[in-house]
Amino acid sequence: MSEKIDWANLSFGYMPTDYNVRCYFRNGAWGEIEVSSSESINIHMAATCLHYGQEAFEGLKAYRCPDGKIRIFRPEANAERLQSTCRGILMPELPTEKFVEMVKKVVKLNERFIPPYESGASLYIRPLLIGTGAQVGVRPANEFLFVIFVTPVGPYFKGGFQANPYVVIRDYDRSAPLGTGVYKVGGNYAASLLANKKAHDLGYSCEFYLDAKEKKYIDEAGAANFFGIKNNTYVTPLSTSILPSITNMSLMTLAEELGMKVERRQIPIEELETFEEAGACGTAAVISPIGRIDDLDTKKSYVFVKEGEQPGGWSKKLYDSLRDIQYGRAADKHNWVTVMD
């Protein structure tokens, strides 16, 4: 099958692969790693994941590199973020070593689905942890299933590294300041579906969220972290309701290495006028430059990339720097990359 895949025209969607890996938590302990070729999971109809949203997921990628090796970007950081989510919604933490072992195993088992280097595509890795124990009362499950599947994907946005238009949405909140926004749980994404549809219906690539409490400060750019650049400074929101993006953390480190200052703080929406560049960052797109942000309520438009122009230089430099590490084209000074045997 992999021989017939049109690697250069892959969408960011699901494609069946050969195997997934699984591990069950029962009787207070994690079991052995299992390999499955089934795309289905058999769970009780009263499982807590179905009724009370007790589930979490992660997203990371593996790359086929020009030196012929396969690299996985920062799996330990994903393991740690999943552990944080587990503490937040009362699920058993999967040890980092087991998480990384399962990631490497599922990548190796599906090696023929890793897109060739020249294609610009990658292998998306989706770890999923769900409460499978049956409960009718609102309580944590006593049994859980951790599963990782993979699928080859193309760029998240069809145009690749091109500027996209965003629209400010005030009618909906993706998460509350002291809610589950800092955890990677499905409920946050369910809460974003309506706002995302509204943005698309209005002709925009994505919705743009302000803080849920006061509607004064920038929160997130769709399901991705926001950053703005001005005066040689990389500025990104500090908020109790947004997910700590591993991509954003990496970009902050690289920005400092490139000679920029880094600020994590509240960003009033009016400050958008002062940014020279802006972008959304996350695993799927790495960096998606923002061309403009329209605030239909105030009838203001914040433009960062004019029609027909290329995204800003700092965004491209950060994008290239991170991609070079992911693909083994640059030194991995921070030990971010796991190189497959």
Side-chain angles (χ1 to χ4, degrees):
M1 176 187 173
S2 57
E3 293 76 16
K4 299 176 184 176
I5 296 173
D6 184 2
W7 298 112
N9 292 300
L10 278 177
S11 66
F12 195 90
Y14 176 77
M15 176 186 294
T17 52
D18 290 334
Y19 301 102
N20 56 80
V21 294
R22 307 176 181 204
C23 187
Y24 288 90
F25 181 91
R26 295 183 177 122
N27 301 316
W30 288 103
E32 296 299 313
I33 297 170
E34 302 174 15
V35 175
S36 175
S37 57
S38 173
E39 294 177 80
S40 301
I41 51 178
N42 184 21
I43 59 173
H44 197 285
M45 63 183 175
T48 60
C49 64
L50 300 177
H51 297 266
Y52 305 123
Q54 197 180 25
E55 66 83 46
F57 68 98
E58 282 294 326
L60 60 161
K61 286 181 176 179
Y63 305 87
R64 195 180 295 277
C65 302
D67 61 3
K69 295 179 179 176
I70 294 161
R71 287 173 172 80
I72 305 166
F73 188 66
R74 301 196 73 172
E76 295 86 359
N78 287 93
E80 290 164 9
R81 189 168 66 179
L82 180 62
Q83 290 157 5
S84 171
T85 297
C86 289
R87 292 190 291 271
I89 62 170
L90 298 182
M91 298 196 293
E93 295 180 39
L94 190 81
T96 300
E97 298 75 22
K98 190 156 218 160
F99 182 99
V100 174
E101 181 186 355
M102 290 178 68
V103 167
K104 291 168 73 172
K105 191 176 190 73
V106 75
V107 169
K108 190 70 176 173
L109 286 167
N110 295 286
E111 190 171 342
R112 71 191 187 97
F113 289 96
I114 304 174
Y117 167 66
E118 301 81 8
S119 67
S122 55
L123 188 75
Y124 186 75
I125 305 163
R126 170 52 60 85
L128 173 69
L129 177 59
I130 59 174
T132 53
Q135 292 282 8
V136 176
V138 184
R139 292 188 298 277
N142 55 7
E143 294 188 357
F144 296 83
L145 166 63
F146 181 64
V147 57
I148 309 179
F149 66 85
V150 297
T151 187
V153 295
Y156 190 73
F157 291 107
K158 287 181 181 176
F161 192 77
Q162 297 292 328
N164 293 290
Y166 285 64
V167 62
V168 175
I169 298 287
R170 287 184 173 82
D171 303 347
Y172 307 102
D173 295 318
R174 185 172 182 264
S175 58
L178 299 177
T180 58
V182 294
Y183 309 126
K184 199 166 177 69
V185 296
N188 298 337
Y189 296 83
S192 75
L193 294 175
L194 201 52
N196 185 257
K197 181 180 185 303
K198 182 175 180 179
H200 286 168
D201 289 348
L202 289 168
Y204 295 91
S205 293
C206 216
E207 73 277 23
F208 194 80
Y209 294 104
L210 303 181
D211 73 289
K213 189 175 182 180
E214 298 181 87
K215 299 293 184 188
K216 289 181 180 179
Y217 303 99
I218 295 167
D219 240 18
E220 292 210 281
N225 278 190
F226 169 83
F227 69 86
I229 294 173
K230 64 176 179 178
N231 304 327
N232 202 44
T233 305
Y234 181 102
V235 188
T236 193
L238 182 63
S239 167
T240 56
S241 60
I242 63 177
L243 187 72
S245 161
I246 293 164
T247 303
N248 197 9
M249 302 295 182
S250 306
L251 290 172
M252 283 188 261
T253 298
L254 294 176
E256 288 183 332
E257 289 181 354
L258 290 169
M260 302 176 75
K261 295 176 185 173
V262 171
E263 294 180 2
R264 289 185 73 196
R265 58 174 172 80
Q266 286 187 315
I267 307 172
I269 184 171
E270 297 81 12
E271 193 175 342
L272 286 174
E273 289 181 325
T274 67
F275 287 118
E276 299 148 22
E277 301 177 35
C281 58
T283 298
V286 182
I287 287 178
S288 173
I290 297 176
R292 75 176 195 276
I293 299 171
D294 290 343
D295 188 342
L296 303 181
D297 292 341
T298 62
K299 297 185 169 51
K300 281 191 175 182
S301 187
Y302 305 95
V303 179
F304 309 102
V305 182
K306 292 178 182 173
E307 199 76 34
E309 292 186 358
Q310 290 299 308
W314 275 120
S315 297
K316 186 68 166 67
K317 195 175 289 189
L318 286 165
Y319 176 82
D320 288 343
S321 296
L322 188 55
R323 298 279 283 173
D324 284 347
I325 295 169
Q326 291 173 335
Y327 279 101
R329 299 184 298 241
D332 178 24
K333 295 187 290 186
H334 303 285
N335 295 317
W336 285 342
V337 173
T338 295
V339 183
M340 295 289 289
D341 300 328

